[in-house]
Amino acid sequence: MPKYRGNYQHRPVHPKIYVWAHTGKAEIDYFQEFKQYLRSDLLMPKKKLCGTPQELMMKIIKWKHENICDEDGDQVWCIFDIDEFYKIDKKGLIASVKEAIKNNIKIAYINECFELWILLHFKQVTTAIKRGKGVENSIQKEYKKNKLGTFKKNNKVFNVLLPFQGAALANAKYVVKNYEKIDLEEKMSTKGNPSTSIHFLVEEINKHC
């Protein structure tokens, strides 16, 4: 039997996927381009400029309680780079993640930075990366090898990377195979560099949008 939002029986539920990021560029641009590619109103990229993932998660929890009914089947995802946040405030980050999960918010972390997700489109990455010129040069080498032009940090990349998305999913899953079994405290630490759970979000989008 189809579900309906509120008391309006003529409005069948079409579960949406809300993707929140705390930065204004790379991550949210990627999912905005994803939405345009799919031409889907079910993918809802949103951004809230916050200093830390912790601040973002607290704001998302409040927003979710005010705007989302779990019975409608909507998904809410929080995407963020680990960067220095784990080192600076390990307890605060872990506590925020646990609180977000408790409130049925899914976590799409990237350890260490979004450039890892880009690099995974071309190869498996099993040694630690660091944001900056090193990983950017590695991406540029792959761009050159595949005749993709010039890579520049914070440029839009979704359409360029789309033909390689299947490889990215496989390469990411080589390190993190099952979302439900992720030890997030370990994966967000230096031991978890490199790793990510963003591929589970991408799979959900492909499945439902």
Side-chain angles (χ1 to χ4, degrees):
M1 180 180 293
K3 295 186 292 183
Y4 296 86
R5 293 188 188 275
N7 295 318
Y8 301 96
Q9 295 299 301
H10 64 283
R11 294 179 60 198
V13 169
H14 298 291
K16 296 181 178 180
I17 298 178
Y18 295 88
V19 180
W20 284 87
H22 78 290
T23 61
K25 286 304 296 176
E27 292 94 333
I28 203 67
D29 279 353
Y30 179 89
F31 288 100
Q32 285 171 343
E33 281 194 284
F34 206 163
K35 177 183 176 70
Q36 292 168 4
Y37 166 75
L38 294 171
R39 298 181 181 179
S40 174
D41 292 332
L42 303 183
L43 175 58
M44 306 292 289
K46 294 177 174 290
K47 63 182 178 183
K48 181 72 175 180
L49 298 182
C50 299
T52 67
Q54 296 93 302
E55 293 172 359
L56 176 65
M57 282 183 271
M58 294 304 101
K59 291 181 183 295
I60 296 175
I61 291 170
K62 182 176 185 297
W63 171 86
K64 183 175 182 289
H65 283 304
E66 294 173 351
N67 295 279
I68 300 296
C69 176
D70 285 335
E71 292 181 357
D72 290 339
D74 294 335
Q75 297 184 38
V76 181
W77 287 77
C78 177
I79 180 172
F80 58 89
D81 294 351
I82 296 301
D83 196 12
E84 295 293 315
F85 297 117
Y86 184 90
K87 296 176 184 177
I88 293 172
D89 184 14
K90 171 185 174 181
K91 290 183 179 180
L93 181 59
I94 295 301
S96 297
V97 167
K98 289 180 177 179
E99 188 64 21
I101 292 172
K102 180 181 176 181
N103 284 274
N104 201 26
I105 293 167
K106 297 180 181 294
I107 303 299
Y109 78 94
I110 309 166
N111 191 358
E112 177 177 282
C113 54
F114 188 70
E115 285 74 23
L116 169 63
W117 175 240
I118 297 175
L119 195 54
L120 285 168
H121 285 73
F122 306 105
K123 63 180 183 179
Q124 290 181 2
V125 184
T126 55
T127 58
I129 67 167
K130 185 176 182 181
R131 71 169 56 243
K133 291 298 181 182
V135 67
E136 291 169 26
N137 289 339
S138 295
I139 295 171
Q140 182 54 53
K141 289 178 182 177
E142 298 299 331
Y143 265 49
K144 183 177 180 180
K145 184 189 304 182
N146 290 279
K147 300 180 180 179
L148 300 176
T150 301
F151 170 75
K152 292 184 179 179
K153 181 178 174 64
N154 287 331
N155 274 11
K156 293 182 178 181
V157 297
F158 175 82
N159 290 313
V160 174
L161 298 177
L162 182 58
F164 306 89
Q165 189 182 91
L169 295 172
N171 289 334
K173 195 164 285 189
Y174 179 79
V175 178
V176 180
K177 295 178 175 60
N178 189 321
Y179 180 83
E180 302 300 330
K181 295 182 179 181
I182 300 175
D183 182 342
L184 284 168
E185 187 164 354
E186 176 185 306
K187 290 301 183 183
M188 291 191 297
S189 71
T190 53
K191 293 180 181 179
N193 181 355
S195 69
T196 182
S197 60
I198 195 173
H199 51 299
F200 298 111
L201 168 55
V202 172
E203 286 183 327
E204 287 297 302
I205 293 170
N206 285 331
K207 186 189 305 180
H208 297 293
C209 296

